[in-house]
């Protein structure tokens, strides 16, 4: 089954017998472009950023909208944690990617305002990633 919570997904089992789920991660600057595809079974994927709702995430250190990045995507076993981590990584930016490296089972991809893409070391080797 698949549970879609506002575009964030918790996926269980397979999309069909012997067919893993495939989730495309859209470019926040061009929604018609796919930056990465995550495939697998029993995983979650969450993205936080400006693509759908503009600058709505507040940096608690400044009290202002978080700027410098367009999106942060996190994949791992739990949608609850992936969503929270995606928001945290978005606010922290590149430091967030480094911070997320310490969390077992979760990988991140960050897109800057200028379109530059960076990912945690395991993003491309991650069990679910097949970019």
């Amino acid at each position: 089954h698949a549970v879609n919570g506002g575009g964030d997904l918790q996926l269980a089992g397979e999309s069909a017998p012997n067919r893993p789920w495939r989730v495309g991660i859209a470019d926040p600057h061009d929604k018609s472009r796919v930056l990465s595809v995550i495939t697998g079974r029993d995983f979650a994927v969450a993205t936080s950023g400006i693509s759908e709702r503009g600058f709505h995430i507040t940096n608690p250190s400044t009290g202002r909208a978080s700027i410098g990045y367009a999106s942060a995507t996190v994949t791992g076993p739990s949608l609850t944690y992936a969503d929270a981590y995606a928001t945290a990584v978005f606010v922290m930016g590149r430091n967030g990617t480094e911070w997320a490296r310490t969390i077992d089972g979760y990988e991140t991809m960050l897109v800057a305002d200028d379109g530059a893409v960076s990912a945690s070391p395991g993003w491309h080797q991650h069990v679910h990633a097949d970019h």
Side-chain angles (χ1 to χ4, degrees):
H1 67 268
V3 176
N4 182 337
D8 296 336
L9 302 168
Q10 180 73 59
L11 304 163
E14 301 173 313
S15 63
N18 299 314
R19 293 185 58 199
W21 293 101
R22 292 178 52 83
V23 178
I25 308 302
D27 182 338
H29 300 294
D30 177 0
K31 293 180 190 178
S32 68
R33 183 171 169 242
V34 175
L35 293 178
S36 187
V37 175
I38 302 168
T39 63
R41 296 162 180 83
D42 303 319
F43 69 101
V45 60
T47 299
S48 290
I50 63 170
S51 180
E52 299 294 325
R53 296 173 50 200
F55 292 96
H56 70 286
I57 300 171
T58 301
N59 181 328
S61 298
T62 65
R64 297 184 181 146
S66 194
I67 58 171
Y69 293 90
S71 70
T73 300
V74 175
T75 183
S78 164
L79 180 56
T80 301
Y81 288 111
D83 186 36
Y85 296 156
T87 301
V89 168
F90 179 80
V91 170
M92 290 188 279
R94 192 165 295 280
N95 291 334
T97 300
E98 291 301 314
W99 167 77
R101 291 175 72 176
T102 67
I103 304 167
D104 288 336
Y106 291 85
E107 299 296 337
T108 63
M109 183 178 74
L110 188 63
V111 181
D113 282 344
D114 67 3
V117 177
S118 60
S120 59
W123 179 266
H124 298 291
Q125 292 82 32
H126 192 266
V127 171
H128 305 300
D130 81 342
H131 183 255

